Amino acid sequence: MISKKTKYAINALVYLAKENKGTEPIQISKIAESENIPRKFLEAILLILKNAGMLSSRKGKTGGYFLHKSPDEINIADVMRLFDGPIALLPCVTHTYYERCEECKDEATCGIRSVFADVRNETVNTLKNATLTEIMLRAELMKKEKK
Amino acid sequence: MISKKTKYAINALVYLAKENKGTEPIQISKIAESENIPRKFLEAILLILKNAGMLSSRKGKTGGYFLHKSPDEINIADVMRLFDGPIALLPCVTHTYYERCEECKDEATCGIRSVFADVRNETVNTLKNATLTEIMLRAELMKKEKK
DNA sequence: TATAATTCCTATCGAAATAATAGGATTTTA
DNA sequence: TAAAATCCTATTATTTCGATAGGAATTATA
């Protein structure tokens, strides 16, 4: 399971991608209210997204947040890694957070590792393609189907 | 990341599938030593695998554990669910452990949910096919390649 | 029948992670 | 200068994880 931080972060990002037509920043409180996220918790989350270069902010009165990158450059894989660390299910199959399994005898011929490497590749692939644009597109399609 | 319980469980199962040629049970201590798993911790794990119907045991002197099912009927998906719960990354896309996301507005048209449903399907598919037989086969193939 | 060796079972513990809040410093507009 | 926003650090409560302790029950065998 992904953490609530990651889930809230994705929801906030999608919200900003949808609402932020002009360049006027949107306040934390507004996002929190609309997306049902605890105000103070969201504050911390947005700050992390900003420091990671996904969001920008304006301080002071009339301040708020807005996307720093284009919506098709922000994807779920990067957001997950930012808050939850590695996407892989075993430490020995992550690329950026690699760590050997202490109990393992021979990594190069481990059948278990081989399976989890496949899972990792599939998952990262799907999540890399899941940009904010893609997420909004999927939602649109489902709304049309519904009618 | 999967828990150490799941990782140890898979290792123990593969070990039993490989070593248990006759019907003589294998003792906890032997498995623990061979697979570098803390003895007492493994004890608890094997008990759970037994109660789930994957292992059988003989008590008392000359007692120990052995596979209850055939190695191609035991897969990683089931082991993971047993120890770590749902495989899905969002509560709203699991089949057996379904739970609504509190903060969600409309599940039926949620683009985020749609992405994580894809991930779930891919992962479950791969892990269901990852039986003990499959894992041993992969290891064999890699050993041959190495030469 | 006693003993040794094993699984079975419950309780407990410390450390880490998670979800969230508190409180104030800083910045900016008006 | 006041109001309203982000920025930043610390703290807390709860849950989960990894592991151990200690003994009860069971069984082969000397």
Side-chain angles (χ1 to χ4, degrees), chain B residues 71-75 127-136:
Chain B
D72 61 331
E73 287 174 331
I74 300 180
N75 64 71
L127 293 181
K128 272 275 173 201
N129 287 325
T131 62
L132 300 185
T133 310
E134 168 69 14
I135 292 169
M136 290 189 292

Side-chain angles (χ1 to χ4, degrees), chain B residues 27-28 43 47 50 57 59 65:
Chain B
Q27 289 100 16
I28 298 176
E43 202 177 311
L47 206 52
K50 187 202 160 190
S57 67
K59 280 187 189 173
Y65 281 95

Side-chain angles (χ1 to χ4, degrees), chain B residues 17-37:
Chain B
K18 272 191 302 192
E19 296 301 302
N20 200 205
K21 296 302 175 189
T23 29
E24 274 311 285
I26 298 181
Q27 289 100 16
I28 298 176
S29 335
K30 192 170 175 199
I31 306 172
E33 202 172 335
S34 165
E35 299 301 307
N36 301 314
I37 304 171

Side-chain angles (χ1 to χ4, degrees), chain A residues 89-107:
Chain A
L89 295 172
L90 279 184
C92 64
V93 296
T94 82
H95 285 173
T96 38
Y97 298 85
Y98 170 84
E99 215 170 311
R100 197 179 152 276
C101 291
E102 326 157 39
E103 76 277 8
C104 183
K105 288 170 188 170
D106 180 17
E107 196 171 86

Side-chain angles (χ1 to χ4, degrees), chain A residues 48-56 68-69 74:
Chain A
I48 293 170
L49 288 170
K50 186 202 158 188
N51 291 331
M54 299 187 194
L55 293 181
S56 282
H68 183 70
K69 290 176 166 181
I74 300 180

